[in-house]
Amino acid sequence: MERLGVDIGGTGIKGGLVDLTDAELIGDRFRLLTPDPATPDACARVIREILDHFSWDGPTGIAVPGKIVDGVVRSAYNIDKSWLGVHAAEFFDDALGVQTTVINDADAAGLAEMRWGAGQGEDGLVILLTFGTGIGSAMFLSGRMIANTELGHLQLRGTDVENWASANAREDEDLTWDAWAERLTEYFEHLELLFSPSLYIIGGGVSKESDEFIPKIKTRAPIVPARFRNRAGIVGLAHATTLDGR
Ligand code: BGC
């Protein structure tokens, strides 16, 4: 069974066709720049190009970098504020003429990792974090997702943690891996205090370079890179289309 996954990120909108029998991408991902401003209409125009690129008109999973509660976008830190209050799947169904399933981007990555990747068979509390423009989070207890956790917005040092510990913050401030890992250790200590997870999974673009920083983060629970690296979101979106009761 094939599905299309489209991940709306802070800088790029990436699409990929996924074969759900082996949870792998068919061919390459196709990436276009995120429009500025990233309004619903502007994002829909870019996704239209992605559908055309893959000649696809089947069920499509779309990730938005915001909370999606009962289908409605309820936070918009790294996309245009005009998303707030929009029923995302109904909007995309109409705008694109295909059946869409819309979930949070980190939740999408988590679904792939729990089903086929680093979290497979993990029974305890699993926290997946994606480091990119912001920090996304997905949380699973006994394999069940607790959606929309938004752990990138925990307050540390008087600000949202994603403002000083995201991959973007590392680049913007030119932090060495050591300096970034120190910030991450502080963040993970806070997470351990609050949640006592049994496993952390690191996703997002920077997970490709996980050897540079994961061994430097001191935690009680193990930390592993996402098996699907930055493809996790797209694979999870393909999976999400099969779970959608709409
Ligand atoms: C958003 C989250 C999103 C994360 C990663 C945060 O700023 O609030 O919903 O998952 O960025 O894109």
Side-chain angles (χ1 to χ4, degrees):
M1 186 167 47
E2 293 175 15
R3 291 288 198 256
L4 188 75
V6 178
D7 192 354
I8 304 176
T11 52
I13 300 187
K14 292 137 283 187
L17 254 193
V18 179
D19 182 349
L20 281 171
T21 51
D22 61 1
E24 276 305 338
L25 253 65
I26 304 165
D28 289 334
R29 293 184 321 166
F30 180 60
R31 180 181 189 276
L32 293 171
L33 286 181
T34 303
D36 184 13
T39 59
D41 284 330
C43 289
R45 279 194 291 275
V46 173
I47 296 174
R48 174 80 261 156
E49 284 186 55
I50 293 177
L51 293 175
D52 291 347
H53 171 86
F54 288 103
S55 308
W56 181 256
D57 61 4
T60 301
I62 300 176
V64 170
K67 286 187 351 169
I68 314 284
V69 183
D70 297 329
V72 177
V73 179
R74 295 291 183 202
S75 77
Y77 291 89
N78 296 314
I79 39 166
D80 195 73
K81 300 283 175 272
S82 57
W83 275 99
L84 292 171
V86 172
H87 190 294
E90 286 175 2
F91 167 75
F92 280 129
D93 283 2
D94 282 353
L96 301 169
V98 296
Q99 190 192 322
T100 64
T101 299
V102 183
I103 60 172
N104 170 264
D105 54 359
D107 284 346
L111 286 177
E113 291 298 318
M114 294 305 288
R115 174 79 175 77
W116 294 287
Q120 208 179 352
E122 269 290 328
D123 240 6
L125 183 76
V126 179
I127 295 181
L128 173 138
L129 297 168
T130 62
F131 292 90
T133 307
I135 297 178
S137 61
M139 201 186 272
F140 293 81
L141 181 62
S142 306
R144 293 196 56 153
M145 181 161 77
I146 303 161
N148 295 311
T149 45
E150 297 282 337
L151 299 182
H153 298 287
L154 278 180
Q155 300 295 300
L156 270 186
R157 299 191 174 211
T159 184
D160 289 26
V161 67
E162 73 174 16
N163 292 336
W164 62 276
S166 64
N168 263 36
R170 183 182 76 82
E171 283 167 17
D172 291 349
E173 294 181 47
D174 238 338
L175 297 178
T176 61
W177 290 112
D178 280 346
W180 191 48
E182 245 175 66
R183 292 189 184 186
L184 293 179
T185 298
E186 192 174 330
Y187 177 36
F188 279 77
E189 275 169 0
H190 197 59
L191 292 174
E192 302 232 278
L193 173 74
L194 297 177
F195 301 109
S196 307
S198 44
L199 177 70
Y200 294 104
I201 303 173
I202 307 289
V206 79
S207 61
K208 288 189 300 243
E209 295 170 285
S210 54
D211 289 350
E212 301 282 359
F213 65 96
I214 288 185
K216 298 181 170 137
I217 308 171
K218 309 278 172 286
T219 49
R220 187 193 44 78
I223 311 183
V224 296
R227 170 190 156 192
F228 293 105
R229 301 295 200 270
N230 59 351
R231 304 184 321 282
I234 288 176
V235 175
L237 287 163
H239 181 38
T241 61
T242 68
L243 307 173
D244 195 344
R246 287 175 75 230

